[in-house]
């Protein structure tokens, strides 16, 4: 009897051990299936997979929570990401970078004090990390209530859809047609973007109508029904070359990203050709061709960078032959991500970063190269062009302080929208009146306006002695007033430091000249 009981107990414990081992293997396999989706960049599918996982073991719960948080973070859903980062930490997840990405997510939620705490915890493990230090500086800047610029910014409802619309571009100096990337089309049941869970990315174009709006966008490059994403167009100054990003999916997941070029001849676009930048497993994306056509800026995670995705450049040698890639350096690139370069007509480089000091996720920066110091001078564009969300993909209408940009602001799902922006001109309107000593208007008095900005204008007063001039900001002016039979007079005006349009009303009195004795 004792022998039989011993056998029974041995068999019982063996069964329990097998069950535990089997459960552990099953949990490991389940977790690994989600991690694979995340590591291949299929963040939307990873979200679906991790959300269905339910583990009794705290270790597996912490792992699943972390990767679910990272997946949400990658698709721009900061609120959900921060909640799952915190959950992962509660379950004992030990990777220090959890605190960094928690800080990034909290900053996008405008929870700045909590974000600072998270960054400080991360810095205990990676002392001096530039992106984390910048994250703390970003929070302090946002909490100081910085003054927004005068830019006016609104969603462009003509280009808007229920899915992501982003990275607008113009072809050369033609601003009557806008090109942009969109995930609006396709059969969402059959063709879902594995990264975002939206449709495939296709490059669309829209023509401006006669009322200042935009006609219905139509596909320009890309196919809604295959596993390919096309986006982030950039045109040469003459409008005869278009560079863009192409991502191709296989059953194994994304295969990196490639830069494509199309050429226009005889009014027709040729077939896209792939630029041989490097291995297919790496990211080569977000091309931006310089106005002179000699330099191509792009984004890559290739070795030799500062971490995350960096901005690089290559110089054209001939045709489609380009020199070796050069990293733009530490003034621009950080351990986080720098993306979406754009080169303006005057050579200034615009790009987005979530590692430099900013207001939220990706912020837009402008960089100017200094030949003397051989360094980049980098500046945040400030509010309202930037926000607590992701802001990127800016495009200007030539030399005007107006254009388009992309942003996820206001979207809980992290959906990109195209915003139109403009910096209203500041005008100083001088409304003057010339009278004599008795207060009667002086008609046809000569008015001569001279400014230290080169302004040199003349006019005459009306019957009621009035005149009007529109002056420019940031200048000093002398206004000379002359009339037959009167002594000359003058007034001085300064528009330096003006922050908004204003009117200046001036009444000038002319004294009658004494007639000469005969």
């Amino acid at each position: 009897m004792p022998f039989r009981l011993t056998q029974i107990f041995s068999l019982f414990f063996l069964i329990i051990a097998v069950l535990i081992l089997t459960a552990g293997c099953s949990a490991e396999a389940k977790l690994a299936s989600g991690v694979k989706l995340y590591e291949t960049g299929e963040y939307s599918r990873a979200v679906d997979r991790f959300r269905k996982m339910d583990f009794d073991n705290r270790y597996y719960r912490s792992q699943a929570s972390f990767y679910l948080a990272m997946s949400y973070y990658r698709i721009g859903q900061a609120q959900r990401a921060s909640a799952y980062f915190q959950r992962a930490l509660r379950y004992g997840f030990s990777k220090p970078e959890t605190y960094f990405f928690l800080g990034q997510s909290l900053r996008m939620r405008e929870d700045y004090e909590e974000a600072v705490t998270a960054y400080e915890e991360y810095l205990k493990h990676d002392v001096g990390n530039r992106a984390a230090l910048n994250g703390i500086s970003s929070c302090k800047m946002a909490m100081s209530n910085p003054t927004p610029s005068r830019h006016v910014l609104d969603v462009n409802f003509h280009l808007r859809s229920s899915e992501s619309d982003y990275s607008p571009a113009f072809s050369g100096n033609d601003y009557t047609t806008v090109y942009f990337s969109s995930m609006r089309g396709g059969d969402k049941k059959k063709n879902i973007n594995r990264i975002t869970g939206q449709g495939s990315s296709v490059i669309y174009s829209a023509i401006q109508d006669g009322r200042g709006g935009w006609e219905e966008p139509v596909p320009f490059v890309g196919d809604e029904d295959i596993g390919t994403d096309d986006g982030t167009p950039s045109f040469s100054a003459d409008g005869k070359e278009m560079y863009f990003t192409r991502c191709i999916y296989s059953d194994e997941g994304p295969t990196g990203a490639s830069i494509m070029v199309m050429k226009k001849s005889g009014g027709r676009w040729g077939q896209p050709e792939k630029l041989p930048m490097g291995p297919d497993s790496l990211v080569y994306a977000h091309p931006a061709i310089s106005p002179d056509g000699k330099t191509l800026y792009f984004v890559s995670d290739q070795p030799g960078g500062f971490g995350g995705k960096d901005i690089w450049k290559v110089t054209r040698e001939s045709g489609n032959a380009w020199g070796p890639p050069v990293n733009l350096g530490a003034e621009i690139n950080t351990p986080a991500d720098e993306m979406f370069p754009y080169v303006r007509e005057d050579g200034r480089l615009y790009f987005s970063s979530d590692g430099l000091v900013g207001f939220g996720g990706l912020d837009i920066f402008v960089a100017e190269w200094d030949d003397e110091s051989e360094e980049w001078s980098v500046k945040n564009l400030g509010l309202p062009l930037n926000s607590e969300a992701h802001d990127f993909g800016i495009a200007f209408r030539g030399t005007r302080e107006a254009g388009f940009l992309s942003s996820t602001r206001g979207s809980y799902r992290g959906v990109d929208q195209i915003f139109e922006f403009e910096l209203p001109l500041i005008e100083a309107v001088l409304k003057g009146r010339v009278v004599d000593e008795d207060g009667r208007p002086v008609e046809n008095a000569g008015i001569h306006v001279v400014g230290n900005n080169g302004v040199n204008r003349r006019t005459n007063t009306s019957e009621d002695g009035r005149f009007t001039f529109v002056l420019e900001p940031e200048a000093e002016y002398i206004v000379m007033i002359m009339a037959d039979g009167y002594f000359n007079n003058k007034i001085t005006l300064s528009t330096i430091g003006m922050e908004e349009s204003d009117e200046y009303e001036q009444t000038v009195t002319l004294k009658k000249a004494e007639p000469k004795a005969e």
Side-chain angles (χ1 to χ4, degrees), residues 31 52 60 66 85 141 149 186 198 213 259 386 400 485 490 515:
L31 181 67
K52 295 175 182 177
Y60 291 115
F66 172 77
F85 282 129
M141 177 180 69
S149 70
Q198 303 176 50
I259 294 176
N386 288 315
R400 289 181 55 193
K490 70 177 181 178

Side-chain angles (χ1 to χ4, degrees), residues 454-494:
V455 167
N456 192 329
R457 300 176 188 167
R458 296 175 184 269
T459 190
N460 294 90
T461 57
S462 60
E463 290 182 1
D464 58 0
R466 298 185 182 278
F467 66 93
T468 301
F469 271 106
V470 177
L471 307 176
E472 298 175 5
E474 300 302 318
E476 294 180 343
Y477 297 91
I478 297 176
V479 183
M480 301 292 299
I481 303 97
M482 299 156 285
D484 291 340
Y486 295 88
F487 290 110
N488 295 342
N489 201 349
K490 70 177 181 178
I491 57 176
T492 59
L493 288 174
S494 175

Side-chain angles (χ1 to χ4, degrees), residues 302-320:
Q302 63 184 307
F306 291 84
K309 297 179 181 66
D310 281 9
I311 297 179
W312 302 68
K313 69 176 182 179
V314 289
T315 303
R316 192 192 297 266
E317 295 178 341
S318 63
N320 280 345

Side-chain angles (χ1 to χ4, degrees), residues 21-44:
L21 181 61
T22 303
C25 292
S26 175
E28 189 73 34
K30 189 186 296 184
L31 181 67
S33 68
V35 173
K36 181 181 179 181
L37 291 174
Y38 173 80
E39 290 180 342
T40 56
E42 299 183 46
Y43 306 124
S44 177

Side-chain angles (χ1 to χ4, degrees), residues 327-361:
N327 190 286
L328 293 197
E331 293 91 10
I332 288 178
N333 293 312
T334 72
D337 289 331
E338 283 67 47
M339 301 188 288
F340 299 98
Y342 166 84
V343 191
R344 207 166 174 187
E345 288 184 350
D346 58 8
R348 282 181 289 176
L349 174 68
Y350 292 76
F351 67 98
S352 288
S353 170
D354 62 1
L356 295 172
V357 177
F359 292 92

